[in-house]
C-alpha cells in the first residue's frame, strides 16, 4: 500500500504516506464548495507534475555532476467543466545556475519524459518552460 486517505469532514482529507508516515491535507477549492485552505486534490496532481520533473532532472543532474539545488517550479492549474477536470497545467522551471546547451537539452528532455507527464491524460495541455539563469 502506498498511502491511506481519510475523510475528515468539511470537504477535507488527510493523506498518510505509509512508508514514511508523512502527511498532507487537501481541501475542496473555493470554486467547488470548499474553503480552499489547503491544496485541492487537483492542485496535488498539477504540483506532482512539477515535483516529478524536478526530481528526475535531479537524478540526471547527479549523474552529470550538475548541482540542481535551488531550482524552483511555478505551477498554474486551469480547470474546465462538463466534466470538471484539469484542462491545463503550466510549469515554469527556474534554474539558479547557467548550463551549456547540451546540459540544458538533456535536463529539459528528462523533465518532459517524467513518469507523471506520461501518466496524465493526453487531453491535459502541458505548457512547460525552462528559465536558465
Amino acid at each position: 500500500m502506498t498511502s491511506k486517505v481519510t475523510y475528515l469532514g468539511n470537504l477535507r482529507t488527510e493523506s498518510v504516506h505509509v512508508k514514511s508516515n508523512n502527511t498532507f491535507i487537501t481541501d475542496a477549492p473555493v470554486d467547488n464548495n470548499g474553503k480552499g485552505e489547503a491544496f485541492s486534490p487537483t492542485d496535488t496532481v498539477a504540483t506532482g507534475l512539477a515535483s516529478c520533473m524536478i526530481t528526475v532532472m535531479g537524478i540526471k543532474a547527479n549523474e552529470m555532476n550538475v548541482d540542481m539545488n535551488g531550482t524552483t517550479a511555478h505551477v498554474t492549474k486551469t480547470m474546465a467543466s462538463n466534466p470538471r477536470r484539469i484542462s491545463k497545467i503550466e510549469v515554469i522551471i527556474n534554474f539558479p545556475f547557467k548550463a551549456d546547451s547540451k546540459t540544458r537539452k538533456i535536463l529539459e528532455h528528462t523533465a518532459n519524459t517524467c513518469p507523471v507527464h506520461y501518466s496524465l491524460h493526453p487531453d491535459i495541455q502541458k505548457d512547460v518552460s525552462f528559465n536558465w539563469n
Side-chain angles (χ1 to χ4, degrees):
M1 179 167 50
T2 301
S3 61
K4 177 183 174 186
V5 180
T6 304
Y7 184 68
L8 302 176
N10 296 319
L11 309 179
R12 176 171 281 188
T13 68
E14 178 183 53
S15 299
V16 179
H17 182 254
V18 172
K19 187 173 182 179
S20 68
N21 211 37
N22 283 327
T23 65
F24 68 89
I25 61 168
T26 65
D27 278 339
V30 174
D31 68 347
N32 199 25
N33 304 310
K35 296 179 183 177
E37 294 176 342
F39 282 99
S40 72
T42 54
D43 291 342
T44 66
V45 171
T47 301
L49 174 60
S51 179
C52 188
M53 294 174 108
I54 287 178
T55 299
V56 296
M57 282 191 299
I59 292 167
K60 182 57 81 174
N62 284 343
E63 294 171 5
M64 299 168 61
N65 293 317
V66 173
D67 183 0
M68 288 259 311
N69 287 346
T71 299
T72 61
H74 296 227
V75 180
T76 303
K77 172 200 73 178
T78 303
M79 296 295 291
S81 56
N82 299 321
R84 187 167 170 81
R85 68 200 180 284
I86 300 169
S87 60
K88 180 177 169 184
I89 302 171
E90 297 172 75
V91 179
I92 302 170
I93 299 176
N94 299 297
F95 298 90
F97 59 93
K98 294 182 190 244
D100 60 42
S101 62
K102 180 180 178 184
T103 299
R104 289 194 306 265
K105 184 176 180 176
I106 290 169
L107 292 178
E108 289 176 12
H109 173 75
T110 300
N112 284 314
T113 57
C114 80
V116 172
H117 196 284
Y118 280 134
S119 299
L120 292 171
H121 194 282
D123 287 351
I124 298 174
Q125 181 181 343
K126 295 167 229 45
D127 289 342
V128 180
S129 60
F130 302 91
N131 293 328
W132 295 91
N133 184 2

